[in-house]
Amino acid sequence: MTERVRRRWPQAPVHSACDTGLVATARYQPAPASTCRREADADRDDVGGGRFVVVGAFVLDCLISAAGLPAWGHDLRADEMRTVPGGKAFNQAVTLARLGARVAAVGAVGRDAVGVAIRSALVAEGVDVSAMPVVEGAATPVCVVHARRDGEKAVVWRVPEVLAGTARELDAAAAALDGQVDAALVTFEFAAQAADLVTAAAKGGMRVIVNPAPAARELDLADAVPWELVDVIVPNETEARALLAGQPGARGPAGQLADAVGDRLGVPTVCVTLAGRGCVLRTGGRTSRCPAPVASVVDTTAASDAFTAVLAARLVAGWPPAEAVRLAQRAAALVVGRPGGYEALPTADELAATVGARTDQCPGQDHGDRAPLGEGLHLSLERKG
């Protein structure tokens, strides 16, 4: 088993809490700059920086906007239909590249027009595809995303195992970045390969950030992952409960999932996203709630990908986890406010304006009205005054 010394992120204060999320019911008001004393820290003002390997599926998204899902044997007229390059790894790689990071993609496409379009889009965004094989005889997969008018979605997908990224390709991607990689982002689209990929990334000296999406269908595959080598895990509520299958915490309150996942897997930083309820962050054994900001929800496709990418970039840049989550949630809020996946991702200018500047609150500013999460607290705590 690979052994290493974890590189720790800065630790969040016990009473810190994030002030933004994906959706909220009250408008967010930034605090005047004069209320905070800021330290001169040029590194944290940079939007870009960092080198990342992103591992997962690269697919064509077929995006369908309609009032509901079709019933068997019936026709359904859609409000809109379009196709764009997509997939969790694709969206995360693009977001990181737009932040100014150097990014290499690990995954494969088929030798077809769809594969050519996906690789071309990545290259246009500045993502290195030299370690992305083009597989003869394999069809580049299509992911069908049905988006309802209230922003909810249903997804139909399948990515053949022949297109899974490998540890060898991960090493090749790292070499394309001159062998100096800050972090690897790994999804669960190829759960059977996740253990090998995590091990290879850790062996290469990378921080390992796992987005366990889609939710693990086979618990033994999730259990095979060497979680002691993982630095950060970012599941949503469904994915967190899947990782806890058979454990008491799987049926517990959503606000306690980050603690349950952290305790079971031993991952030092856990961020469980809860859609309209924001998210819950556990880092350094301390847990804080991250309520949601105001947003008009049009389509939630790709929001979690933008969130994960920005969170990873800010952590690598040295931001405290609670503040990194705030900025990631701002990026996600941009995505949910417009339709689509790839085309809904924030532009470089939007990311610079949204997550490049310092946040509205000083890192470590005392929040006396907040407390570490306990049962039922994640929805009821509100700012005093």
Side-chain angles (χ1 to χ4, degrees):
M1 181 175 295
T2 301
E3 295 183 359
R4 66 171 179 155
V5 177
R6 289 187 189 273
R7 289 180 284 179
R8 302 180 64 122
W9 314 110
Q11 298 306 316
V14 67
H15 291 303
S16 107
C18 310
D19 289 316
T20 59
L22 298 183
V23 184
T25 55
R27 185 165 297 279
Y28 173 70
Q29 297 291 338
S34 60
T35 64
C36 291
R37 291 176 297 175
R38 310 273 187 198
E39 296 180 1
D41 184 351
D43 288 341
R44 294 180 56 200
D45 281 331
D46 291 341
V47 178
R51 302 185 186 200
F52 298 85
V53 170
V54 182
V55 188
F58 297 84
V59 309
L60 183 73
D61 280 343
C62 177
L63 305 172
I64 303 171
S65 298
L69 294 173
W72 292 112
H74 293 267
D75 293 334
L76 176 67
R77 180 180 174 86
D79 297 326
E80 184 180 12
M81 298 179 67
R82 60 197 181 282
T83 56
V84 293
K88 299 196 70 63
F90 179 95
N91 295 331
Q92 291 174 18
V94 168
T95 302
L96 285 167
R98 290 181 181 180
L99 280 167
R102 288 190 62 187
V103 187
V106 176
V109 295
R111 191 174 296 280
D112 51 26
V114 174
V116 170
I118 290 171
R119 285 171 59 91
S120 297
L122 288 169
V123 170
E125 294 284 355
V127 177
D128 189 288
V129 298
S130 60
M132 173 182 279
V134 177
V135 180
E136 198 73 45
T140 303
V142 175
C143 177
V144 181
V145 182
H146 293 266
R148 208 167 56 189
R149 291 168 184 166
D150 61 1
E152 288 299 313
K153 67 179 188 294
V155 181
V156 181
W157 68 280
R158 182 183 179 275
V159 183
E161 292 297 316
V162 70
L163 299 181
T166 66
R168 179 178 296 180
E169 290 159 7
L170 187 147
D171 291 340
L177 299 179
D178 303 321
Q180 300 175 354
V181 179
D182 294 294
L185 277 64
V186 180
T187 70
F188 263 24
E189 287 156 321
F190 300 106
Q193 285 74 33
D196 289 342
L197 292 164
V198 166
T199 300
K203 189 179 294 184
M206 309 172 202
R207 293 184 175 99
V208 182
I209 300 170
V210 173
N211 179 204
R217 292 177 297 173
E218 301 176 49
L219 189 59
D220 58 337
L221 293 179
D223 286 342
V225 175
W227 294 108
E228 70 276 6
L229 301 180
V230 175
D231 297 282
V232 182
I233 184 169
V234 190
N236 64 21
E237 181 175 353
T238 299
E239 294 150 6
R241 294 191 189 279
L243 290 169
L244 295 168
Q247 304 292 316
R251 299 181 298 275
Q256 294 181 0
L257 287 173
D259 287 328
V261 170
D263 289 342
R264 180 169 191 263
L265 303 182
V267 177
T269 297
V270 181
C271 184
V272 178
T273 59
L274 302 173
R277 291 166 289 166
C279 60
V280 182
L281 171 69
R282 165 169 155 154
T283 185
R286 297 170 174 177
T287 306
S288 55
R289 65 182 288 267
C290 308
V294 65
S296 176
V297 180
V298 175
D299 187 346
T300 60
T301 305
S304 65
D305 302 328
F307 177 94
T308 301
V310 172
L311 177 64
R314 296 299 84 193
L315 289 175
V316 163
W319 291 70
E323 198 170 356
V325 168
R326 280 196 287 272
L327 298 174
Q329 290 175 309
R330 291 183 182 182
L334 288 175
V335 177
V336 302
R338 47 202 179 196
Y342 174 33
E343 70 268 54
L345 294 175
T347 65
D349 288 343
E350 288 173 328
L351 287 167
T354 303
V355 308
R358 294 189 183 279
T359 58
D360 53 284
Q361 294 186 342
C362 302
Q365 181 177 340
D366 183 38
H367 298 264
D369 54 309
R370 306 288 189 183
L373 286 180
E375 183 172 353
L377 293 181
H378 65 289
L379 296 179
S380 61
L381 286 178
E382 297 181 353
R383 185 185 300 277
K384 294 179 179 176

